[in-house]
Amino acid sequence: QSALTQPPSVSGAPGQRVTISCTGSSSNIGAGYKIHWYQQLPGTAPKLLIYDDSNRPSGVPDRFSGSKSGTSSSLAITGLQAEDEADYYCQSYDSILSAVVFGGGTKLTVL
Amino acid sequence: EVQVVESGGGLVQPGRSLRLSCTVSGFTFGDYAISWVRQAPGKGLEWVGFIRSKGYGGTTEYAASVKGRFTISRDDSKSFAYLQMNSLKTEDTAVYYCTRGDDFWSGYYPWGQGTLVTVSS
């Protein structure tokens, strides 16, 4: 049982908008610790997609955006493309566990 | 270009030891904490631990699942970090990634390609 909960899967058609939620608690997201998001394409290493809740590293398209509210965070992908099909993970810090924690991951399927 | 490369993975019997190495290029190694993250086959990401830069004491932090068995070290003169894994268990089987970050709170970038550790008799 991860400290951060993500839906196992989401799907959308090309061009659509999808969101992936990351639900935590008062000891991680709710405490104000930053959320980071990763994209892992099949057979490859994770890639930083969003850092510090809502910032995009250089080279990441602005179709990807992050937000945070209360004890939850969301990753939104607009203008869905076939190449976005991947696993997505959220990451934060948990003060009770004194550990970096990852969500269980969400598999995005582009229909 | 910022790059990270892991090595040292392989097949090892339960109870034995293995040391992974991580080398970096494209940034000043000594200025950053280095973290290890693993991914069991078909599973999600699991934080293993990190070592702070010498400027922040060079101290280490570990996940509860590996504390007391795994040790992270660094050699700034060679731009290398190491993950010494002792008393390996079958549940330690995973791809191990090395990545750059700052303490508990930062995002991790870049990631290496990973090195597979298989613990089996």
Side-chain angles (χ1 to χ4, degrees):
Chain A
Q1 191 81 3
S2 176
L4 302 178
T5 301
Q6 298 180 234
S9 63
V10 298
S11 63
Q16 284 189 332
R17 177 182 187 269
V18 297
T19 60
I20 298 173
S21 61
C22 176
T23 303
S25 66
S26 58
S27 62
N28 42 67
I29 300 175
Y33 296 111
K34 301 296 186 182
I35 284 284
H36 317 290
W37 289 91
Y38 300 90
Q39 177 192 60
Q40 187 175 32
L41 297 170
T44 69
K47 168 191 167 184
L48 182 64
L49 201 61
I50 298 288
Y51 68 95
D52 292 354
D53 300 336
S54 59
N55 296 290
R56 284 187 307 277
S58 174
V60 173
D62 59 7
R63 300 187 296 106
F64 296 91
S65 63
S67 63
K68 186 170 79 174
S69 178
T71 57
S72 294
S73 177
S74 289
L75 172 70
I77 309 173
T78 58
L80 205 57
Q81 300 179 4
E83 67 208 47
D84 299 332
E85 193 160 280
D87 293 323
Y88 293 83
Y89 295 90
C90 58
Q91 175 216 331
S92 188
Y93 170 72
D94 189 282
S95 60
I96 292 179
L97 299 173
S98 291
V100 173
V101 290
F102 287 94
T106 298
K107 181 175 182 59
L108 169 64
T109 300
V110 180
L111 302 171
Chain B
E1 181 189 4
V2 181
Q3 200 170 9
V4 173
V5 178
E6 307 92 339
S7 61
L11 174 63
V12 61
Q13 293 180 326
R16 303 297 291 265
S17 299
L18 195 66
R19 188 179 82 157
L20 306 183
S21 299
C22 167
T23 186
V24 309
S25 59
F27 63 93
T28 304
F29 179 79
D31 288 348
Y32 293 89
I34 296 296
S35 299
W36 290 89
V37 177
R38 68 184 180 182
Q39 186 170 34
K43 303 296 184 182
L45 302 174
E46 180 187 13
W47 174 70
V48 173
F50 67 79
I51 183 166
R52 296 179 175 90
S53 65
K54 290 290 195 293
Y56 285 88
T59 51
T60 53
E61 304 287 348
Y62 299 97
S65 57
V66 306
K67 197 168 187 178
R69 300 188 299 123
F70 289 12
T71 301
I72 299 172
S73 60
R74 63 189 299 155
D75 184 339
D76 290 355
S77 67
K78 297 179 180 178
S79 296
F80 264 86
Y82 305 98
L83 177 63
Q84 177 68 43
M85 304 183 293
N86 299 331
S87 303
L88 282 161
K89 306 175 181 180
T90 56
E91 54 262 41
D92 294 320
T93 294
V95 173
Y96 285 74
Y97 295 101
C98 173
T99 182
R100 180 188 75 174
D102 287 316
D103 223 282
F104 283 113
W105 304 281
S106 75
Y108 293 143
Y109 165 83
W111 294 61
Q113 83 288 350
T115 186
L116 176 63
V117 173
T118 303
V119 184
S120 174
S121 54

